[in-house]
């Protein structure tokens, strides 16, 4: 288990409402509060349409909340782009740019030293187990490889927080499992906090220091689990009785809240 010391991110009573085409107000997210500690891996799991991705985008200041606040390290404001990396459901790589240039895109945008940036990008490709592919184009890679490149790009600026919105959802089961274990290895080295949205209970239990379950829309945080075995995780852990018990508890909470919603 990672040592959790300093609070990095805090969301207090965050809500988000939208206006429908008929002029009615629709509540997508209701009164969501969350604390994220330095180095902590937090998974958010809930039914489709409950506001998981909306909440993640609010944390990253990509969407403004209707009510509530987000505080990054006591600044009274959400983190700035320089403070975090974001990995989306699709890799969102530039198809015309080489893998190396995609990874170093933050440096290109920031007009940093190209030689130093290229070295950092090469190091990150090695970290995500893709050494020597910098000259390839994204279309030459598999889906899993493209997501690894996206993770490398998100880590380029050594972010304090990594936001991940179902980054492995489009992958086959075997590749998804492999990516989960690789992500754990990467996070052991990078030591940034992670807020991870997923539909997979197994994935959440495997990866997380903390799992937050959301109800059906309007989404609310209704239950929190803290798996105690993360520090000793390996490929055998997923077949252990301990792992299966946590899975069952999360599944029960999720099914109850999916059925009952916010009642």
């Amino acid at each position: 288990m990672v040592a959790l010391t300093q609070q990095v991110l805090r969301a207090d009573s965050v809500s988000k409402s939208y206006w429908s085409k008929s002029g009615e107000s629709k509540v997508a997210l209701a009164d969501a509060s969350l604390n994220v500690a330095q180095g902590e891996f937090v998974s958010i799991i809930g039914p489709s349409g409950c506001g998981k991705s909306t909440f993640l985008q609010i944390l990253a200041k990509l969407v403004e909340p209707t009510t509530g606040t987000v505080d990054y390290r006591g600044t009274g404001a959400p983190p700035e782009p320089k403070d975090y990396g974001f990995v989306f459901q699709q890799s969102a790589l530039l198809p015309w740019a080489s893998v190396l240039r995609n990874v170093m895109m933050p440096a290109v945008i920031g007009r940093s030293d190209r030689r130093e940036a290229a070295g950092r990008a090469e190091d990150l490709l090695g970290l995500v187990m893709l050494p020597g592919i910098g000259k390839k184009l994204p279309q030459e890679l598999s889906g899993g490889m493209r997501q690894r490149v996206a993770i490398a790009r998100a880590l380029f600026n050594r972010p304090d927080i990594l936001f991940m919105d179902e980054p492995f959802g489009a992958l086959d089961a075997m590749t998804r499992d492999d990516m989960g274990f690789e992500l754990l290895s990467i996070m052991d080295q990078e030591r940034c906090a992670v807020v991870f949205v997923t539909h997979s209970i197994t994935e959440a239990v495997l990866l997380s220091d903390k799992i937050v379950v959301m109800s059906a829309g309007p989404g609310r945080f209704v239950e929190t689990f803290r798996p105690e075995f993360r520090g000793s995780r390996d490929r055998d852990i997923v077949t252990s009785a301990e792992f299966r018990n946590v899975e069952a508890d999360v599944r029960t909470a999720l099914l109850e809240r999916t059925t009952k919603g916010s009642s």
Side-chain angles (χ1 to χ4, degrees):
M1 179 68 65
V2 68
L4 307 179
T5 54
Q6 186 175 358
Q7 180 175 280
V8 174
L9 192 65
R10 178 183 179 90
D12 282 318
S13 302
V14 170
S15 298
K16 182 64 180 179
S17 299
Y18 296 95
W19 291 99
S20 68
K21 291 182 179 180
S22 61
E24 296 178 314
S25 178
K26 176 179 172 138
V27 180
L29 184 69
D31 197 30
S33 297
L34 181 69
N35 293 332
V36 181
Q38 184 173 332
E40 188 174 30
F41 197 118
V42 181
S43 284
I44 301 173
I45 189 167
S48 296
C50 71
K52 300 185 297 297
S53 294
T54 297
F55 181 70
L56 197 68
Q57 291 170 19
I58 288 172
L59 294 181
K61 203 179 176 181
L62 300 177
V63 170
E64 288 290 328
T66 303
T67 61
T69 60
V70 177
D71 178 83
Y72 170 68
R73 289 194 178 277
T75 61
E80 297 295 330
K82 65 180 176 59
D83 301 314
Y84 68 81
F86 206 116
V87 183
F88 297 91
Q89 295 178 30
Q90 302 296 327
S91 61
L93 301 179
L94 299 174
W96 47 264
S98 69
V99 166
L100 189 68
R101 189 171 178 83
N102 267 287
V103 174
M104 56 188 288
M105 192 54 61
V108 174
I109 294 172
R111 298 183 180 180
S112 301
D113 180 84
R114 295 294 180 90
R115 181 174 296 180
E116 182 178 338
R120 169 68 174 160
E122 290 283 10
D123 289 344
L124 285 169
L125 287 173
L127 181 65
V128 299
M129 300 180 69
L130 293 175
I133 70 158
K135 293 182 179 180
K136 290 184 178 293
L137 293 174
Q139 57 263 37
E140 298 179 76
L141 309 181
S142 67
M145 292 170 76
R146 287 195 294 272
Q147 282 301 85
R148 292 185 206 178
V149 174
I151 292 171
R153 180 179 59 189
L155 293 172
F156 185 87
N157 282 333
R158 296 179 174 86
D160 211 10
I161 309 169
L162 187 62
F163 297 118
M164 307 187 81
D165 189 1
E166 294 191 70
F168 310 143
L171 305 179
D172 63 84
M174 186 174 295
T175 302
R176 186 169 185 154
D177 287 348
D178 289 342
M179 290 293 295
F181 283 106
E182 288 176 17
L183 179 60
L184 288 175
S185 178
I186 291 166
M187 291 302 100
D188 282 344
Q189 296 183 60
E190 291 296 308
R191 292 298 185 186
C192 57
V194 181
V195 185
F196 187 93
V197 165
T198 181
H199 277 107
S200 169
I201 297 171
T202 300
E203 191 169 67
V205 175
L206 173 66
L207 297 175
S208 307
D209 294 301
K210 180 165 64 183
I211 302 166
V212 183
V213 177
M214 291 186 72
S215 69
R220 300 176 186 272
F221 291 168
V222 293
E223 198 155 355
T224 300
F225 296 88
R226 294 181 181 274
E228 295 297 328
F229 46 78
R230 182 176 180 256
S232 60
R233 65 202 180 278
D234 55 30
R235 290 185 180 271
D236 293 330
I237 191 69
V238 297
T239 60
S240 70
E242 185 182 17
F243 189 95
R244 294 304 183 192
N245 287 339
V246 178
E247 263 191 325
D249 290 343
V250 174
R251 181 173 287 103
T252 297
L254 183 59
L255 290 175
E256 286 179 351
R257 295 301 180 168
T258 301
T259 302
K260 297 178 183 178
S262 58
S263 61

